[in-house]
Structure formats: structure tokens, C-alpha cells
Amino acid sequence: MTLDEAVALHRRGALREAAVAYVAFLRTRPDHPDALRLLAMALLGLGHAAEALATLDRIGGRHPLVAANRGQVLAALSRWDEAAEDLSRAVRSDPGLTDAWDELARVEAARGRGPEAARAAGRALATAPDRGRAVAF
């Protein structure tokens, strides 16, 4: 299975099949960062947040997308402080990561930090005004 085929399954919402395809691809290229990151997100979507975190932690370095995805997984595990740290690192490195700003707003709200949540929500909206989605906190 190619990585493109796995991504196509993922985009169609066939997360279980995509995860199997990513694992098959990773047998040939075990350290492929995109495949690992995408596998982690499929695992998260399947409700396997701890496995998703372990998968992300196999990726060397801290690319902004990896940090953003790691923050999302940590939030799913209710590890709010760690999630905020990774999401903040992601948006410092790449301020255009709308989803990371959006997730940071939710995390800050969960931490009881209303002003920080509002600031992050505002940045999410500023980076993608066409989304028109507001974060309730």
C-alpha cells in the first residue's frame, strides 16, 4: 500500500482501513514522519489517544504540525498543561496553523484561562475568517 492510498482512505473517513494502510506503509519506511503523524491522527479518530501519542513521540524533532497534533492528542487525554505547551510551540513556529489556534482556545478554556482562550480563538478566526467558527468557552 502506498502512502497516497492510505491518505485517500483517511480523507474518506475510513480511519480503521487508513490505520492499517499506514502500518503497512511503515513496514517499509518505519521512520517516515508524515506516515507516523497521519497514523497518529487516525488512531486518535478511532479513540486510541494513548497509542496516538506514542506514535507521535516516535517522530524526531518538533515540526509545528507534529507539535499541533501532539497538543490535540494531549487534550484528548485531558493533559491540559502539556497540550497548551505543545500547541503554543506550534503556533509560535507557524502562526498560520488555524486548527492549532482553535485547539489552543479549547485547551485554555478547559484550563479556566478565559482571556487566553479568547485570544487564541481570535487568532484562529484571523487566520481563517472564512471558517466563521467560534469557540465557546
Side-chain angles (χ1 to χ4, degrees):
M1 173 99 20
T2 69
L3 184 56
D4 288 340
E5 291 168 324
V7 170
L9 289 167
H10 199 150
R11 286 187 177 143
R12 286 199 311 262
L15 298 181
R16 187 170 315 283
E17 294 84 355
V20 169
Y22 291 132
V23 169
F25 177 83
L26 285 162
R27 283 192 193 107
T28 62
R29 301 200 43 206
D31 296 321
H32 193 283
D34 291 332
L36 287 166
R37 187 180 66 76
L38 293 166
L39 171 59
M41 299 321 294
L43 290 169
L44 179 62
L46 291 167
H48 304 292
E51 283 181 66
L53 182 59
T55 301
L56 287 170
D57 286 345
R58 289 175 50 192
I59 302 171
R62 282 290 172 238
H63 186 278
L65 280 177
V66 175
N69 290 155
R70 194 170 185 279
Q72 185 180 359
V73 170
L74 288 163
L77 292 167
S78 300
R79 291 168 57 177
W80 307 116
D81 293 339
E82 293 169 274
E85 185 177 311
D86 276 11
L87 290 161
S88 294
R89 182 180 315 112
V91 297
R92 274 194 310 273
S93 297
D94 185 348
L97 289 175
T98 304
D99 290 336
W101 282 115
D102 197 38
E103 187 69 22
L104 182 58
R106 281 191 283 280
V107 166
E108 293 295 18
R111 295 170 73 197
R113 298 174 56 148
E116 290 85 353
R119 179 181 161 278
R123 290 295 299 265
L125 187 57
T127 61
D130 56 313
R131 284 174 56 171
R133 187 169 78 185
V135 177
F137 51 89

